[in-house]
Amino acid sequence: GFLPLQGHVVRNWKVRWFVLLQDKLLYYKIEGGKKEPYPKGRIILDGCTITCPCLEYENRPLLIKLTTKTNTDYFLECCSREERDSWALDITGAIHAGHPGQVQELHKMQNSFRLLESISLHHIVEKMCDNSTGIKLTYNLEQGSRYKETFTGSALVDWLISKAFAVSRFDAVTLSSMLMEENFIKPVGARSTEATRCSDLSKQFLDDSTALYMFAESGNKNISSKEELQFNVAELSGTIVKQGFLVKQGHKRKNWKVRKFVLRADPAFLHYYDPTKEENKPVGGFSLRGCLISALEDNGVPAGVKGNVQGNLFKIITKNDIHYYIQASSKAERTQWIEAIKPLT
């Protein structure tokens, strides 16, 4: 599947097509909408160590770090926790094929930290930012330093329970950890920052009155203003139904680029992101109401499609008659996306 990979020489991010074999991880370049025949590079798994979760990049919370036995570091980014944990489990299985106990430990971690599909993190953040009923932002002191517009870990846990987003402190800590991992909130000060280095996901957020947190995008601003949240509330507040990497044809240059697509319901929108950029903001998107979606045949290049594409194409026509040509990695994935989008049109 597609994963963004950080370069070794120029430390930028490029999306590559990864293939996991028994003893190595191959990655390929996508050119003109088609995978090149020979791999761009390979990661030898013998003697490799894996770090998951990897928290070395604040703006990229869903990383896997692979360190080869020659001490070369590879950073791979996934588009969701589920995808990250699945890749990590499979890669660990290849690394430790003779040590099934280590694979079982990762499997336990994967299954012990799940967010209910009915909960929208954007909706929770919107409620947290409400001036009258949201979480109270205060000045806090830690080791002589003063922090503006922050809240404590225990205050967030209390608030989530009081608003019925969680029924127990354990569930609230799990939900708070998700908010932090998805970069909605961030630790402030030594106490909470130190906890994020813990390898156990369940211990990275502290239910503690001395651990400080703040909204990740607020900086020194007050994120509770309605104007700043207007775009998120209008389009990005829906429940995430499906997300993943797909290849999209551009409207002007007709070139093909890998984009991270996020499908949301209530309201129904399909947004796409540039996974090579640091900021987690959509580069495009549209309402699905009144859209038409259909699979395109793989025999020949359909009208409107440029380039020698791989296949597995589908087309979305918006109610404003804008045509989007999108390429999945397989027929099964194309069917899954079409079946997920259709009920929202």
Side-chain angles (χ1 to χ4, degrees), residues 49-122:
T49 59
I50 182 169
T51 304
C52 178
C54 173
L55 302 171
E56 294 190 24
Y57 291 87
E58 183 179 337
N59 294 332
R60 294 181 180 271
L62 297 173
L63 289 178
I64 296 171
K65 178 182 177 182
L66 295 175
T67 304
T68 67
K69 69 179 177 182
T70 58
N71 288 322
T72 303
D73 291 335
Y74 292 87
F75 294 92
L76 288 62
E77 185 179 33
C78 300
C79 67
S80 67
R81 284 181 50 256
E82 291 77 16
E83 184 191 47
R84 182 199 64 188
D85 293 347
S86 177
W87 270 104
L89 186 68
D90 290 340
I91 293 171
T92 303
I95 294 173
H96 303 296
H99 305 279
Q102 296 182 39
V103 182
Q104 290 173 5
E105 278 300 310
L106 184 66
H107 201 18
K108 287 179 184 177
M109 183 192 79
Q110 177 190 22
N111 293 328
S112 65
F113 189 69
R114 291 190 179 277
L115 179 69
L116 294 176
E117 293 181 357
S118 59
I119 296 178
S120 164
L121 294 181
H122 288 285

Side-chain angles (χ1 to χ4, degrees), residues 7-22:
H8 291 299
V9 181
V10 180
R11 309 296 281 181
N12 58 354
W13 294 83
K14 298 289 186 182
V15 179
R16 298 291 182 242
W17 176 260
F18 280 82
V19 177
L20 176 62
L21 303 180
Q22 187 173 5

